[in-house]
Amino acid sequence: QNFIDTLNHTLKGVQANSSNVIAELDEEFDGLYSILDEMKESMTNSIKQEQAHKTQELQNQLSQCSNALENSEELLEYAALTMASAFRISLKPKVSDNMTHLMVDFSQERQMLQALKFLPVPKAPEIDTAECLVADNTVTIAWRMPEEDKKIDHFALEYRKTNFDGLPRVKDERCWELIEYIKGTEYTLSGLKFDSKYMNFRVRACNKAVAGEYSDPITLETKALVFNLDGTSSHLNLKVEDTYVEWDPTGGKSQENKIKGKENKGRSGTPSPKRTSVTRSPLIRGSRDRFTGESYTVLGDTTIESGQHYWEVRAQKDCKSYSMGVAYKNMGKFDQLGKTNTSWCIHVNNWLQTTFSAKHNNKAKALDMPVPDRIGVYCDFDGGQLTFYNASSKQLLYTFKTKFTQPLLPGFMVWCGGLTLSTGLQVPSAVKTLQKSENGLSGSSSSLTNITQ
C-alpha cells in the first residue's frame, strides 16, 4: 500500500512538475524573444538615425551647391571676372552612401541558439549506510556520488522523524526538514531529541543551476525513552506540566476549593458527571490515587519493562529538597522515594545545609561529592542497575544493583523549588563505556550491599 501511495504521489508529481517546467520554458523563451525584439528595435533605430544624419548632410550640401551655382551664373553673365573665393566650395560629398558598417552577422549566435539544451542535472548520490552513525543524540549521514562530477556546487539533505520502519511513507504525518548548501559529502545533526522510533534521510546534489534527483532514502533507528510527568496522580502541592514540576504551597487549597465548588454545584440540582480516567497512557497510569501527606511525588507516565534508558534532571538553583530515581507502579500514595523497598533514588537536601545521598528501603548512603547542576539517570532494567551521573562530565555518582521484579516508573520528589526533565535521550557513549568498565562498577557496588538487600 505504501508503494502504491508512492506511485500515485509520483504520478501526480510528474504531471505537476511537467506543467511547471513547460511554464518555465515558455518564460525563458519569452525572455529571449523580448531581448531579441529589444535588440532589433535598438539596431533599427541606429540605422534610421544614420540614414537621417546622412540625408541631412547631403541635403545641406546639395542646397549649398545649388545656391553657389545660381550665383556663379549671374556673375558670369555681367562680368568676366574670376570666381571669388567665397564660391570655392568642396565638390566631394561629406558622407557616403555606404551603410555596410551597420550590417550584422548572427551566424555564431544562431549556432548558439541551435545548440540550446536542457540543463545538465547531477546524478543522485548514494548514501553509505556503513558510514552513517547514530550516537549521543546525533546522527551522521555520509554519501558519495556514483561518478565524479566537478560541476556540483553543494548538497541538500532532508530528514524527518517517523514511527514507521522501512521505506519512507508518502502519507507520513511529519514534513521533511531541509538543510541546504552542504559542501562536503557528510553531515552531522546534533542536539536531537529522539521522540520517534526512526528517522528518514535523503540527499541530492546541486550544481549552479539545478538540483538533481534524491538519493534512495534510508531509515535509521532512533529509539529513546520519551515520557511526560503524570499530573493525574501527583501530589496536589505540585504543579505539573509535561516535563516540568514545581512545588506549589497553595496547590492543595485551590484544588480543595475546586472540589468543594463541584460538590456544591452537584447538590444544587444537576448531578455532577462521573469522573473518568482519560489519560495519555491508561495502561500505565490507570486510576491510581494521588500522592498525599508529605510525599511530594510525581511519577512518569511511561513504564520501563526492559532495556537500557537514560534521562536527565535539572533542579532550580533555589530548590530546597528534591529526589529522582525509579519506583514500582504499586508505590503507595503516602510512600516517599527511597523510603520503601519499591523505590530507589538519590536525594538532595539544601535546607540549612546541603546533604547528598542515595536512598532505598529507608536506608541512606551519604555521597561525598558536589551536587551537579544536571544529573543523568541510567536504568538498565534487565541488568538490574540504576546509576546516576554528573550529566555534564559523566562522572559516576552512585549505582544501585538489584533485580527489578516489576515494571518501573521514573519518579521525582520536589519541595520548595522545581525540576526540569530532558527525555528522548540516548544512553551517552561515555556512560556505555563506564558501564563496560569493571573497575568503574566495582567501586560503587561494594558499598551497596546494605542498601539494596
Side-chain angles (χ1 to χ4, degrees):
Q1 182 61 51
N2 182 41
F3 184 59
I4 290 173
D5 292 339
T6 302
L7 290 176
N8 288 326
H9 180 76
T10 304
L11 182 59
K12 292 179 180 178
V14 167
Q15 295 169 346
N17 292 334
S18 297
S19 300
N20 290 338
V21 295
I22 289 175
E24 290 181 4
L25 184 66
D26 288 339
E27 187 177 343
E28 289 292 333
F29 271 93
D30 288 342
L32 284 177
Y33 299 151
S34 176
I35 291 174
L36 290 173
D37 288 339
E38 290 175 3
M39 290 180 64
K40 181 181 178 181
E41 183 178 359
S42 175
M43 289 181 168
T44 301
N45 289 335
S46 296
I47 294 173
K48 289 181 178 180
Q49 288 174 4
E50 183 73 0
Q51 178 189 7
H53 168 69
K54 287 191 173 185
T55 299
Q56 185 66 42
E57 288 289 341
L58 291 172
Q59 286 179 346
N60 290 340
Q61 197 173 12
L62 182 62
S63 176
Q64 185 180 10
C65 289
S66 297
N67 292 333
L69 182 59
E70 291 177 1
N71 294 333
S72 298
E73 289 176 350
E74 291 177 359
L75 289 172
L76 289 172
E77 184 176 348
Y78 295 104
L81 299 174
T82 303
M83 188 178 294
S85 60
F87 297 102
R88 292 174 185 171
I89 60 177
S90 173
L91 300 180
K92 181 181 179 180
K94 289 186 176 181
V95 295
S96 72
D97 61 352
N98 184 17
M99 299 287 281
T100 56
H101 64 289
L102 293 176
M103 294 181 66
V104 296
D105 179 10
F106 288 149
S107 58
Q108 291 185 349
E109 287 77 4
R110 190 177 295 109
Q111 290 178 359
M112 290 176 61
L113 288 172
Q114 289 172 343
L116 286 178
K117 296 180 181 178
F118 293 109
L119 292 169
V121 179
K123 292 188 175 181
E126 299 172 353
I127 297 180
D128 189 354
T129 54
E131 295 297 322
C132 296
L133 178 65
V134 180
D136 297 334
N137 285 81
T138 65
V139 179
T140 298
I141 303 297
W143 59 88
R144 58 176 176 267
M145 294 300 296
E147 58 186 48
E148 187 178 6
D149 186 349
K150 294 183 179 180
K151 293 184 178 180
I152 291 177
D153 180 68
H154 64 274
F155 296 92
L157 173 68
E158 290 190 355
Y159 69 95
R160 71 177 179 186
K161 298 178 179 180
T162 180
N163 288 315
F164 300 106
D165 193 4
L167 293 175
R169 303 194 175 205
V170 175
K171 296 182 179 180
D172 204 304
E173 65 277 8
R174 307 195 190 192
C175 298
W176 290 96
E177 297 188 50
L178 173 65
I179 300 174
E180 293 186 288
Y181 305 110
I182 302 172
K183 292 298 184 180
T185 56
E186 181 179 295
Y187 191 82
T188 298
L189 292 163
S190 58
L192 297 170
K193 180 177 181 179
F194 287 167
D195 51 1
S196 63
K197 294 180 181 178
Y198 306 95
M199 289 182 69
N200 303 140
F201 297 90
R202 63 186 185 184
V203 64
R204 61 179 175 176
C206 308
N207 56 30
K208 291 288 186 180
V210 293
E213 292 282 347
Y214 284 108
S215 66
D216 290 336
I218 65 166
T219 300
L220 299 179
E221 188 176 28
T222 55
K223 288 177 63 177
L225 180 66
V226 180
F227 66 90
N228 287 330
L229 297 172
D230 179 10
T232 65
S233 62
S234 60
H235 194 285
L236 289 175
N237 283 110
L238 296 182
K239 181 181 179 182
V240 177
E241 296 179 2
D242 293 338
T243 57
Y244 177 73
V245 55
E246 183 178 18
W247 188 73
D248 180 7
T250 65
K253 294 180 181 180
S254 62
Q255 187 68 20
E256 288 175 3
N257 292 334
K258 289 181 181 179
I259 294 173
K260 288 180 180 179
K262 288 181 180 179
E263 290 176 350
N264 293 333
K265 186 176 181 181
R267 294 193 191 101
S268 64
T270 306
S272 59
K274 294 181 180 179
R275 288 187 62 187
T276 58
S277 178
V278 181
T279 60
R280 192 167 74 91
S281 304
L283 293 178
I284 296 170
R285 289 160 154 181
S287 57
R288 64 166 295 138
D289 294 332
R290 281 188 178 274
F291 289 98
T292 188
E294 295 184 357
S295 179
Y296 301 114
T297 304
V298 59
L299 300 176
D301 63 0
T302 303
T303 55
I304 299 173
E305 300 183 21
S306 63
Q308 301 172 344
H309 308 279
Y310 179 84
W311 60 94
E312 294 180 355
V313 184
R314 181 189 295 273
Q316 291 179 349
K317 291 185 178 181
D318 57 349
C319 192
K320 298 300 182 184
S321 179
Y322 58 94
S323 302
M324 65 198 72
V326 296
Y328 290 148
K329 291 196 299 182
N330 61 357
M331 181 177 175
K333 65 179 183 179
F334 294 103
D335 294 342
Q336 299 180 36
L337 283 177
K339 291 192 175 183
T340 67
N341 62 357
T342 61
S343 62
W344 299 257
C345 73
I346 57 172
H347 175 71
V348 178
N349 187 356
N350 291 320
W351 185 251
L352 299 180
Q353 62 180 8
T354 299
T355 59
F356 191 23
S357 59
K359 289 186 175 183
H360 171 65
N361 203 16
N362 208 25
K363 295 180 180 179
K365 170 68 177 179
L367 305 180
D368 187 15
M369 60 187 70
V371 179
D373 293 334
R374 197 160 42 94
I375 296 176
V377 184
Y378 168 78
C379 179
D380 181 358
F381 186 92
D382 303 312
Q385 189 168 310
L386 180 68
T387 306
F388 300 90
Y389 293 91
N390 181 323
S392 299
S393 66
K394 299 301 181 287
Q395 175 194 7
L396 177 65
L397 302 178
Y398 200 79
T399 297
F400 291 102
K401 296 189 71 176
T402 186
K403 181 179 180 180
F404 299 121
T405 59
Q406 300 178 38
L408 295 170
L409 286 169
F412 310 88
M413 184 283 294
V414 61
W415 177 70
C416 290
L419 300 176
T420 301
L421 313 185
S422 296
T423 69
L425 303 177
Q426 284 190 308
V427 179
S429 300
V431 171
K432 291 181 179 179
T433 302
L434 288 171
Q435 291 298 319
K436 292 178 181 179
S437 173
E438 295 292 335
N439 295 332
L441 291 176
S442 61
S444 60
S445 60
S446 61
S447 61
L448 299 173
T449 307
N450 293 332
I451 282 185
T452 59
Q453 296 298 326

